[in-house]
Amino acid sequence: MPDRAPENPERHDDDARLSDGTTGVAGVAESVEADDGTSGVRDDGGSGAVDAGTSAAAEDSKPRGNQLLVWVKEIVTVIAIAVVLSFLIKTFLFRAFYIPSESMESTLDVNDRIFINLLVPEPFDLARGDVVVFKDSQGWLPAVTKKPAGPMDWVGDSLEFIGLAADDNEQHLVKRVIGLPGDRVSCCDAGGRVTVNGVPLDETYINPAEVPQPNQFDIVVPEGKVWVMGDNRNHSADSRSHQEVNGGFINLEDVEGKATVIAWPVNRWTVLDNYPDVFKNVPAGTAGK
């Protein structure tokens, strides 16, 4: 199982006038006549206009480095804010994963990138039909040999840490929740269908390329656990295949979150469905949460 410039203070008309209505001296530029007969403007030490030639020279004398420094500070600030927001989103709301296997086809294809909702199963509950990503605490997957560290590994690690890159940790799995705590899940009825609490399921999400092979089981999901199965039934080593370990159940505390969208590739952008119609007639299990 792959985002101001301060406003100028308002200037009032009476700022530069005396009480008798005449123009004041301080802070006001007065018109004078130069020796060559041309008119200019004199600065009397206030904030009035200055000689055009003097203004141009002063403008040219401003250090260009200050402008560059301001620009750099703005860019760094924007990047810092983006990184913090990405980290918070990744930590509390969403997290990215990629799909390394075919066990969820055709819902999820190999190398799809998905985002999971970290608010499920807490504070929001799981529902039957949810696609979930969970930690492999039961040893379903073979041990992964850690690759030697490369000189550029820090780049990928940093992007993964802040949530901008998919988590490529192979010790996570993705399956669909079929049974909740207290549910009795069995297979198969006369039509080869899975039943939950006695109600046969017409599982429209199953890979239509193959008819699922019968795999007999009859279990009741304990408190704090769920029963999961892959949509590509003939190619999914799910709860059915691991009943010798923890009964094949997944601990709710190992569920990282509910898969919500396929984010990559672009042509597969979609919101994932939990197919409520498939489970709408299933009654509550014998033991609730």
Side-chain angles (χ1 to χ4, degrees):
M1 335 230 157
D3 218 89
R4 301 175 181 82
E7 296 180 356
N8 292 326
E10 184 178 358
R11 185 180 181 91
H12 301 283
D13 291 341
D14 60 350
D15 285 349
R17 292 189 178 275
L18 302 178
S19 59
D20 61 359
T22 59
T23 303
V25 176
V28 179
E30 299 181 5
S31 178
V32 297
E33 182 173 340
D35 294 340
D36 58 1
T38 61
S39 296
V41 179
R42 184 179 66 199
D43 182 8
D44 286 324
S47 58
V50 297
D51 182 81
T54 304
S55 177
E59 185 67 26
D60 291 340
S61 67
K62 290 182 179 179
R64 301 293 180 182
N66 288 346
Q67 297 178 4
L68 178 61
L69 183 60
V70 170
W71 181 82
V72 170
K73 286 182 177 179
E74 291 179 351
I75 295 298
V76 170
T77 300
V78 170
I79 293 175
I81 292 174
V83 168
V84 170
L85 288 176
S86 297
F87 175 75
L88 292 175
I89 290 173
K90 177 250 184 179
T91 303
F92 299 106
L93 296 178
F94 294 97
R95 187 176 176 189
F97 285 88
Y98 88 103
I99 306 303
S101 75
E102 62 180 355
S103 69
M104 284 296 292
E105 290 181 347
S106 58
T107 301
L108 299 175
D109 288 346
V110 176
N111 292 326
D112 278 353
R113 264 59 176 175
I114 62 174
F115 280 102
I116 67 171
N117 180 358
L118 300 177
L119 300 179
V120 178
E122 290 183 353
F124 301 108
D125 292 334
L126 281 175
R128 301 183 190 96
D130 286 345
V131 175
V132 294
V133 171
F134 54 94
K135 293 180 289 188
D136 182 31
S137 67
Q138 309 302 321
W140 288 13
L141 297 171
V144 176
T145 303
K146 190 171 180 60
K147 299 177 182 178
M152 298 302 292
D153 283 358
W154 66 271
V155 177
D157 292 343
S158 299
L159 292 175
E160 182 181 318
F161 177 75
I162 63 177
L164 296 179
D167 189 339
D168 61 358
N169 184 349
E170 295 182 1
Q171 302 310 102
H172 286 85
L173 299 100
V174 57
K175 306 292 180 187
R176 192 180 296 275
V177 174
I178 304 299
L180 296 173
D183 285 343
R184 181 176 183 178
V185 186
S186 60
C187 185
C188 303
D189 71 353
R193 296 173 296 181
V194 171
T195 67
V196 179
N197 300 332
V199 176
L201 306 180
D202 292 320
E203 299 179 280
T204 53
Y205 42 76
I206 290 179
N207 185 3
E210 300 180 23
V211 177
Q213 299 175 357
N215 189 340
Q216 300 293 328
F217 63 88
D218 188 359
I219 58 88
V220 175
V221 184
E223 187 74 13
K225 304 180 187 296
V226 291
W227 179 269
V228 297
M229 299 171 70
D231 290 355
N232 196 9
R233 290 289 160 83
N234 295 339
H235 304 276
S236 176
D238 47 43
S239 289
R240 300 167 298 168
S241 303
H242 298 280
Q243 296 185 59
E244 73 282 358
V245 180
N246 198 32
F249 305 111
I250 296 302
N251 299 325
L252 279 172
E253 63 187 18
D254 289 334
V255 177
E256 298 277 13
K258 171 187 173 181
T260 56
V261 296
I262 299 174
W264 189 265
V266 174
N267 63 349
R268 285 185 51 76
W269 279 353
T270 187
V271 176
L272 294 172
D273 194 353
N274 66 352
Y275 295 85
D277 288 346
V278 173
F279 301 90
K280 67 180 180 180
N281 295 323
V282 175
T286 56
K289 279 189 172 182

